[in-house]
Amino acid sequence: MSQHKNITILKIGGSVITDKSSDIGKVQIEEIERICQEISGYSNDLIIVHGAGSYGHPLAKKYDLDNIPDPKGAIITHSSVKSLNEIMVSSLQKAGIDAVSVHPLNNTVSNDGRISDMFLSNIHIMLENGLVPVIHGDVVMDITNTFSVISGDQIVSYLANKLKASRVGIGSIEDGVMDNKGKTLTKITSSNFKEIEKFLGVSKNTDVTGGMLGKVNELLQLCEITGATSYIFNAKKPNNISYFLSGHNIGTAIKK
Ligand SMILES: Nc1ncnc2c1ncn2[C@@H]1O[C@H](COP(=O)(O)OP(=O)(O)O)[C@@H](O)[C@H]1O
Ligand SMILES: [Mg+2]
């Protein structure tokens, strides 16, 4: 298997592509179409991860999937996030991108909520052949808890480590990580994290995977393991995604 040298992992938050204040799945199709246009010119190896937004979090909460082994609830939640993924993938294809769905329920096992194993051989071959895998937050089979809800953020961190991604960007709905005055922080490191942690909260909408604090924790773990820098930026603002993909740093850097 050849080693990819230039993999970019781009995450689009469920907060951007859905109306996250809704408790049933509500897509933001104009946002998805704009984002697909911004990605369409990109020609390096790319993996897209997207969040579940209102297609996932309210259901995961309703069925308490991390704690109650309810097959029906798990299936309903998975089907719902899969339908958002289908909208995402078909929109990417319409924009000329050779996007393919990769569903975590089918290729991932977790242990107490942390990914322990994800099948990657197909992803390597997809990248070698110019396909763009599109992966999403999902419910997966868990060794200890039967099911667990895996965030797109955790998937980003796992894949960036395993595939040695050269660029990692997480697009959400704020300009980055903000301090208590609403000012965007330029960087978070393991040394200033203690001080910044008190400004970090969960989502203002339903998000069972920890909101901004969850994101920063995943990315700090990544840079502790690999030294990789990642960026949290506003994907709601037009041209930010294309700006990031063209190699510019943007938003809050999470770095060593
Ligand atoms: N310090 C902070 N800086 C930015 N966002 C924060 C902060 N603390 C809490 N948040 C919340 O986290 C949300 C982003 O997390 P989340 O809703 O999980 O987004 P996504 O759907 O993109 O994963 C923001 O919209 C905001 O409500
Ligand atoms: Mg989230």
Side-chain angles (χ1 to χ4, degrees):
M1 212 172 289
S2 70
Q3 191 64 46
H4 304 278
K5 295 252 157 43
N6 252 317
I7 298 175
T8 295
I9 300 182
L10 172 69
K11 190 217 165 190
I12 317 284
S15 57
V16 184
I17 56 174
T18 74
D19 174 358
K20 220 169 153 172
S21 66
S22 167
D23 43 1
I24 54 159
K26 203 167 162 195
V27 72
Q28 305 260 46
I29 195 69
E30 311 74 32
E31 286 296 304
I32 291 184
E33 283 165 359
R34 171 189 58 81
I35 288 166
C36 293
Q37 284 307 320
E38 290 195 35
I39 297 172
S40 69
Y42 193 70
S43 55
N44 289 334
D45 291 347
L46 176 66
I47 296 175
I48 296 172
V49 178
H50 66 81
S54 54
Y55 283 72
H57 294 280
L59 290 168
K61 194 176 165 197
K62 176 178 171 188
Y63 295 109
D64 198 10
L65 291 175
D66 285 320
N67 300 306
I68 301 170
D70 175 359
K72 289 207 167 43
I75 290 167
I76 291 169
T77 308
H78 173 68
S79 301
S80 178
V81 294
K82 212 168 115 176
S83 68
L84 176 64
N85 177 260
E86 269 160 26
I87 299 171
M88 193 70 199
V89 167
S90 62
S91 304
L92 285 160
Q93 289 170 351
K94 270 187 217 144
I97 300 150
D98 293 328
V100 280
S101 294
V102 176
H103 304 300
L105 176 62
N106 308 126
N107 76 345
T108 303
V109 170
S110 63
N111 190 352
D112 201 14
R114 305 299 302 168
I115 298 170
S116 56
D117 201 12
M118 188 185 275
F119 187 72
L120 299 174
S121 307
N122 55 347
I123 292 177
H124 281 289
I125 305 173
M126 286 171 185
L127 293 173
E128 271 161 31
N129 290 284
L131 277 77
V132 175
V134 186
I135 314 177
H136 53 90
D138 201 357
V139 47
V140 304
M141 303 314 296
D142 188 283
I143 296 164
T144 47
N145 304 332
T146 311
F147 298 110
S148 74
V149 174
I150 298 298
S151 68
D153 303 324
Q154 187 184 157
I155 295 169
V156 168
S157 169
Y158 181 89
L159 286 176
N161 176 25
K162 292 284 177 192
L163 304 177
K164 303 196 175 11
S166 55
R167 270 179 82 69
V168 180
I170 297 219
S172 188
I173 47 164
E174 311 291 351
D175 288 343
V177 182
M178 297 176 299
D179 67 12
N180 55 338
K181 294 186 182 97
K183 189 172 159 278
T184 305
L185 298 157
T186 49
K187 68 172 182 196
I188 299 180
T189 64
S190 48
S191 14
N192 73 5
F193 179 64
K194 271 273 148 288
E195 196 189 314
I196 285 165
E197 196 178 2
K198 55 180 180 281
F199 309 139
L200 290 174
V202 295
S203 175
K204 57 179 179 276
N205 295 306
T206 311
D207 190 298
V208 296
T209 53
M212 195 50 87
L213 180 60
K215 249 179 251 309
V216 172
N217 274 323
E218 294 294 350
L219 297 175
L220 273 176
Q221 272 188 41
L222 169 68
C223 73
E224 263 155 38
I225 301 168
T226 69
T229 300
S230 48
Y231 298 89
I232 297 177
F233 64 92
N234 195 340
K236 201 114 198 158
K237 279 198 181 152
N239 302 319
N240 273 357
I241 289 176
S242 50
Y243 188 75
F244 170 77
L245 289 177
S246 61
H248 296 94
N249 300 337
I250 182 171
T252 302
I254 315 293
K255 60 199 292 191
K256 205 152 172 86

